Amino acid sequence: MIWKRTRHSHRNKQDPVKKAIKLADLEMLQWAAASGEIELYYLDESGFCLWMPVEYSYFFKGEQKRMEQTKRRGRRISILGLLQPLTTFVYGLVVGSFNADRYIKIMDEQACQAQQQLDKTGRIRVIVQDNGSSHTCNKAKQKWTQWQTQGLYLFFLPKYCSQMNPRNRVAPAQSAPIEGANV
């Protein structure tokens, strides 16, 4: 008996050349982090609600599971988390989704912390993330230069390759909410 989770796949949309190049770059960043040259974080967003979409269910292999849909209730709770493997996990929670303003508020806080770290140790902070619309919108792009001067750099995964983000592979040693988590 096998239980399986239904998953969406975008593998046919991936560019294998860009994926290979980014994977090599990501491995270099991981080596730099392991040797203490940089701080490396992985960012991702997830959400929860009282209503479960049908495509996320478990079922026996060879069987079709059907669920009667109920009226949608409640609002989505979203979490934007930053994982530094074996070191820390920080997050922000919102009702609804993370829009550009909320994302920028969290990244501004990360940039302030990166500035302090850069001044103290000379190490920059690199955040690995996907190409979410709030991460790449014009409002966020206008902040990239400012964040870099503060020691915060963004590393974007190739499109449709979010599985390259190892956010689920390592358990964090501690967790702490982002200051002002109700963004």
Side-chain angles (χ1 to χ4, degrees):
M1 184 182 311
I2 298 174
W3 290 89
K4 291 189 175 183
R5 179 171 180 244
T6 307
R7 296 179 184 262
H8 293 283
S9 176
H10 298 288
R11 288 197 178 139
N12 61 342
K13 295 181 179 181
Q14 295 176 355
D15 181 332
V17 174
K18 288 182 182 176
K19 182 179 176 182
I21 292 168
K22 284 287 194 169
L23 186 57
D25 292 343
L26 182 57
E27 287 174 357
M28 289 183 66
L29 288 172
Q30 290 168 337
W31 278 104
S35 66
E37 295 175 28
I38 66 169
E39 289 186 341
L40 187 62
Y41 286 80
Y42 300 91
L43 178 140
D44 203 9
E45 178 182 348
S46 188
F48 313 89
C49 63
L50 296 175
W51 187 82
M52 183 175 161
V54 174
E55 66 265 16
Y56 292 103
S57 63
Y58 293 86
F59 54 90
F60 287 105
K61 186 176 182 181
E63 293 183 17
Q64 177 69 44
K65 184 173 184 177
R66 298 184 189 280
M67 293 175 58
E68 292 297 322
Q69 287 298 294
T70 59
K71 183 180 176 187
R72 267 193 145 146
R73 291 182 285 165
R75 297 204 42 207
R76 175 183 168 94
I77 306 261
S78 294
I79 180 171
L80 185 87
L82 289 137
L83 171 68
Q84 186 181 25
L86 303 174
T87 306
T88 189
F89 175 72
V90 293
Y91 60 90
L93 293 171
V94 296
V95 175
S97 295
F98 277 90
N99 60 21
D101 292 331
R102 291 171 170 167
Y103 167 77
I104 289 169
K105 184 175 180 179
I106 287 174
M107 297 308 283
D108 279 341
E109 177 63 28
Q110 288 297 308
C112 288
Q113 292 176 15
Q115 178 75 60
Q116 293 170 357
Q117 187 67 34
L118 181 64
D119 293 344
K120 187 176 177 182
T121 66
R123 289 191 314 236
I124 63 166
R125 180 174 294 192
V126 179
I127 297 180
V128 177
Q129 59 188 353
D130 61 23
N131 291 280
S133 59
S134 62
H135 309 171
T136 58
C137 69
N138 288 333
K139 206 173 202 180
K141 285 179 181 178
Q142 292 172 1
K143 300 286 282 184
W144 290 355
T145 303
Q146 174 192 336
W147 293 337
Q148 287 178 4
T149 61
Q150 292 176 277
L152 177 67
Y153 292 82
L154 306 177
F155 179 85
F156 288 96
L157 297 170
K159 291 182 181 181
Y160 307 110
C161 295
S162 58
Q163 79 280 359
M164 287 174 57
N165 189 339
R167 66 199 174 274
N168 295 323
R169 294 185 211 152
V170 180
Q174 60 181 326
S175 64
I178 294 173
E179 194 172 315
N182 294 327
V183 288

